[in-house]
Amino acid sequence: MKYSQLLGLAVISTAIISCASVKIDNSPCAKAYYFDSYSNAIPICMESAIAGNAQAQLYLAQMYNNVLGVRNHTKAIHWYLEAAKNGNPDAEYFVGFMYGHGTLMESESQRAATWYRKASAQGVAMATTEMAWRYSVGLDDNGLVHNEYGLDDDSGFVTNDTANPYAAESNNWYHKAITQAQKKIATAKRSAEAGDAGSQCELAHYYKDGININNQDVLIADSGKSQFWAKAAAAQGATCGEFQLGLDILYGWAESETPHKPTPAQIQAGINWLTKAANKGDLNALDKLGSLYMDNWHLVPQDTNTAMKYFAQAAKLGNPSSQYHLAEMYYYGLGTTRDTCEAYRWYSAAANQATKDNYLSIQAISQALSLDMGYLNARKPCKYLNQ
């Protein structure tokens, strides 16, 4: 995904959440978050979070928001809000996004704008981009769309007329976002070169996708540089680096100008790095390993038993993607005996975490409703119905 003028239509990127956008401090929470297992990091960070440390509160929110550790919507929302109230800029952005796009919380456009402005004032380019996008579609801080200023119903964007105050304001926010992103990249590079693992993870993510704001490339995607910085973080034992390096080795080739699949040795190296992250409780790493053994791009022979093991582990901890894939395995009898009641259980679990603009969410809801109606019409028992 690229950060573009359409960023506001996407859900929070798990890759962004998984790597904090600050330098690693020497606190026990920060060290545990980056280098320890997440089951150990949660209680360590909890102590600092309860004491009012905003960064620890953000780490907790991230661990509870599916990407790391265990998914718990209620706790994630609580700690995002606490961190935002205590002035953490990344938390301010995440709260704005949750209000603006209905992820975790009900949409509330006016509150979204308030938090975006707070985060933007602290230099968060993504928040500034969100404000630019809002104005580009004629959306004011009260959440009202002003069609009288030339909203193009076909494109969804206001006409770029000098007499249009929303177009002018949108451009101002975009220019500010580009400047902020450039500063952010420069700061991350200095910290990464000094050996900071968090910044190394951050750069790896930036180079993986590139950064494009309002059709201007702020940073060109470079799979080689992404892998370089992920490797630097992974060499220090940082979970975010291990996860990103595994992904880069296994799938980075597909984005190359001359794509060629990795060698068996490279595939095993990628699996090893993902496994390191998975063993520390990274739910996305577990999900990726499950997908790999379910014939994802045919990098390894299909092994439905192994795939199910990884999907089940992540699904039970709340990963919606794994819940969906586990449901599919039960529904079609892959790696297990066909069990539509178990399929309903996991489709429903994934559907209950649905976010808009997410294909798997839509599929999960559709399948859960279909099975629900099927059981009711056939009057067949399923212990997960009506729970």
Side-chain angles (χ1 to χ4, degrees), residues 32-112:
Y33 176 85
Y34 277 97
F35 302 109
D36 204 344
S37 68
Y38 294 118
S39 59
N40 292 335
I42 287 177
I44 291 172
C45 290
M46 184 68 72
E47 184 176 353
S48 297
I50 291 173
N53 183 285
Q55 189 61 46
Q57 291 166 344
L58 176 64
Y59 287 149
L60 269 184
Q62 291 170 337
M63 287 188 280
Y64 282 126
N65 188 26
N66 176 55
V67 182
L68 313 166
V70 59
R71 188 175 181 89
N72 186 310
H73 280 166
T74 301
K75 291 182 179 180
I77 291 170
H78 170 77
W79 290 115
Y80 274 131
L81 284 168
E82 288 299 305
K85 290 173 184 175
N86 285 325
N88 182 282
D90 293 307
E92 290 171 345
Y93 164 71
F94 290 139
V95 169
F97 200 104
M98 288 188 290
Y99 276 126
H101 300 281
T103 59
L104 302 187
M105 295 189 288
E106 290 295 324
S107 296
E108 193 169 335
S109 184
Q110 190 170 359
R111 287 191 180 183

Side-chain angles (χ1 to χ4, degrees), residues 24-37:
I24 298 175
D25 56 41
N26 291 318
S27 70
C29 172
K31 290 180 179 179
Y33 176 85
Y34 277 97
F35 302 109
D36 204 344
S37 68

